[in-house]
Amino acid sequence: MEVELTSTRGIAARGIAPAGASKGSREAIDLRDGGPAYGGFGVSRALGNVNGPIAAAILGRDAADQEELDRALIELDGAPNKSRLGGNAMIATSMAALRLAAESEHLPLWRHLAAGAAVRLPLPEIQIFGGGAHAGGRIDIQDFLVIPVKAQSFAEALAMTADVYRAAGAQMSSRGRRYGVADEGGWWPAFDSNEEGLETLTRSIEAAGYGGGEVVISLDIAASEFYRDGRYRLSAEGRDFDPGDWLRVIAGWSSRFPIASIEDPFAEDDAEGMRAVTAALGDRVQIVGDDLLATNAARVRRAAEHAECNAALIKPNQAGTITETRQALEAARQAGFATILSARSGETEDVTIAHLAVGWNAGQLKVGSFARSERMAKWNELLRIEESLGSAAVFAGAAALSASRRPAP
Ligand code: PGA
Ligand code: ZN
């Protein structure tokens, strides 16, 4: 859903809320109509909230005072999970206000956000194969991604990723297994096992000429999706594991394949599993909390206290306002976590997160694959930002990864 705000000087700006298929249970609620129309996904109630109570609460306010505006939204909603107004209504409004403030200053959004502080172009992690809830459960692991750790610029990082994406497509073609793409643009995962996906990805990196550690693997396991009754159930392989054995599987993968980052390796409710994997692998692998943290500052602080991960995925619509998104990012930074701005599986042409990644100096960005325009829109926006900075552009590079197998620059 899209929200447009217009200033008294006639400047207009919009924000578009994305949506996720593999939502964490602690995210801001994505308010949908239910019922028969639009398969239940209609947003007329959420739009009614924007044009009714939200408009009444924010019209006349200063768009540049983001915190005040977001506080008004939070108070008006009054529910911890934003179920009354809808997290979708709130984040679209909050993003529109942010963009309006930047437009009113005639500044690119990233520059408005940075407010003079140093910025870096983020290190991208880019999906090569989809999976999990983004590919009809065809394979259990949700994202097979790569990180071009030896790239010296954002543009070079994209070029290297494009090589791997093409090589992976050729690998699938040569085996008669190229069937199109999954939700985020990664190749459809026509594999018999999760390991076959890892092997194919490793081969694709080598076939692209980057087998020497120039490009490494990142996984979003999204394990909450297949955790039931205390066990991790791989439906693609018909196997299931208790948390101890599951940790051995993950550790085995990370020793056999060049894996530098793993997101949600254990379920959001298995804090003990997250602690164990961080203790076992966290000195060399970035362990990212997504469902676990739900872009919530208090949850980030708690996870840090118990060493449940060493990096935070930051998704604005999980938080529901720009201010709370920023607070979660700051809490992660204070905890010494790496930070990764992230898109959703249900994405739009809105490029705000590309600007947040630069302007907040997040270090890393995850947007899905190297196909489909809602993904390319973000990558292209970053190319524009890098180009506009010219020789002043600084690329975050491998140093942005948390305690990891990052190679020397
Ligand atoms: P989602 O996937 O948007 O479906 O939650 C993205 C992710 O899990 O990181
Ligand atoms: Zn995730």
Side-chain angles (χ1 to χ4, degrees):
M1 64 175 286
E2 175 173 303
V3 170
E4 186 167 299
L5 296 176
T6 307
S7 76
T8 45
R9 283 188 286 145
I11 297 171
R14 57 177 80 101
I16 317 180
S22 73
K23 286 199 272 287
S25 65
R26 278 127 189 140
E27 297 187 16
I29 295 293
D30 184 3
L31 185 64
R32 304 290 178 142
D33 296 338
Y38 304 108
F41 288 111
V43 289
S44 59
R45 278 198 295 156
L47 286 172
N49 289 341
V50 171
N51 290 318
I54 290 180
I58 69 168
L59 290 182
R61 283 179 187 271
D62 183 357
D65 197 344
Q66 184 86 43
E67 283 186 25
E68 267 303 304
L69 187 136
D70 286 341
R71 191 173 310 134
L73 292 177
I74 292 163
E75 276 168 19
L76 183 64
D77 177 71
N81 59 1
K82 303 189 168 58
S83 55
R84 209 171 81 81
L85 296 175
N88 43 351
M90 291 172 71
I91 193 63
T93 305
S94 188
M95 283 161 68
L98 175 66
R99 299 203 73 104
L100 183 57
E103 295 273 335
S104 301
E105 291 174 47
H106 305 291
L107 285 177
L109 180 55
W110 69 266
R111 210 182 268 285
H112 166 75
L113 288 160
V119 299
R120 292 172 301 166
L121 274 296
L123 176 69
E125 56 174 313
I126 303 185
Q127 192 194 61
I128 304 298
F129 300 113
H134 304 166
R138 179 65 186 72
I139 203 81
D140 307 285
I141 295 175
Q142 182 180 283
D143 292 287
F144 296 80
L145 313 107
V146 294
I147 307 181
V149 283
K150 285 280 175 71
Q152 299 298 313
S153 67
F154 183 80
E156 190 187 0
L158 280 196
M160 290 168 74
T161 306
D163 290 341
V164 177
Y165 187 71
R166 261 196 307 276
Q171 294 272 336
M172 298 307 255
S173 290
S174 69
R175 291 153 57 211
R177 292 189 149 203
R178 183 156 154 183
Y179 301 130
V181 300
D183 286 4
E184 298 197 7
W187 300 111
W188 185 259
F191 305 122
D192 293 330
S193 67
N194 294 283
E195 237 162 80
E196 190 190 339
L198 284 164
E199 280 156 11
T200 309
L201 183 52
T202 305
R203 258 203 314 278
S204 305
I205 291 170
E206 283 162 5
Y210 301 119
E214 294 97 335
V215 174
V216 294
I217 293 176
S218 167
L219 299 177
D220 181 1
I221 294 188
S224 308
E225 297 285 316
F226 56 86
Y227 178 66
R228 266 181 301 282
D229 307 322
R231 295 183 74 81
Y232 291 89
R233 298 172 188 274
L234 301 184
S235 52
E237 301 173 22
R239 298 194 293 161
D240 66 291
F241 303 91
D242 67 26
D245 286 336
W246 180 235
L247 175 56
R248 279 181 275 283
V249 170
I250 304 260
W253 287 345
S254 76
S255 64
R256 288 181 23 237
F257 302 103
I259 297 172
S261 180
I262 309 180
E263 180 177 327
D264 286 349
F266 285 77
E268 61 186 353
D269 292 323
D270 188 0
E272 189 48 53
M274 288 299 293
R275 243 193 311 277
V277 69
T278 304
L281 305 177
D283 61 333
R284 50 193 196 283
V285 179
Q286 173 170 269
I287 306 291
V288 185
D290 170 14
D291 291 351
L292 175 78
L293 307 175
T295 313
N296 176 290
R299 293 187 65 80
V300 168
R301 282 191 284 271
R302 204 171 58 219
E305 238 169 72
H306 300 291
E308 290 166 4
C309 57
N310 60 28
L313 203 75
I314 302 291
K315 291 166 161 170
N317 83 319
Q318 278 185 331
T321 61
I322 289 293
T323 301
E324 289 161 289
T325 307
R326 177 86 198 246
Q327 286 165 348
L329 182 111
E330 292 300 337
R333 232 198 278 276
Q334 266 167 25
F337 286 0
T339 55
I340 306 152
L341 249 296
S342 172
R344 301 308 303 253
S345 49
E347 219 8 90
T348 78
E349 69 271 30
D350 191 297
V351 296
T352 302
I353 59 163
H355 287 266
L356 296 178
V358 176
W360 287 347
N361 201 2
Q364 298 176 64
L365 178 65
K366 178 188 177 203
V367 169
S369 195
F370 203 71
R372 299 182 51 146
S373 283
E374 76 278 11
R375 316 287 151 190
M376 302 314 290
K378 277 72 157 178
W379 305 135
N380 287 336
E381 187 74 354
L382 283 155
L383 285 177
R384 290 182 199 107
I385 296 171
E386 187 170 63
E387 232 172 68
S388 75
L389 283 164
S391 60
V394 178
F395 177 54
L401 283 168
S402 185
S404 68
R405 247 168 211 178
R406 56 181 183 228

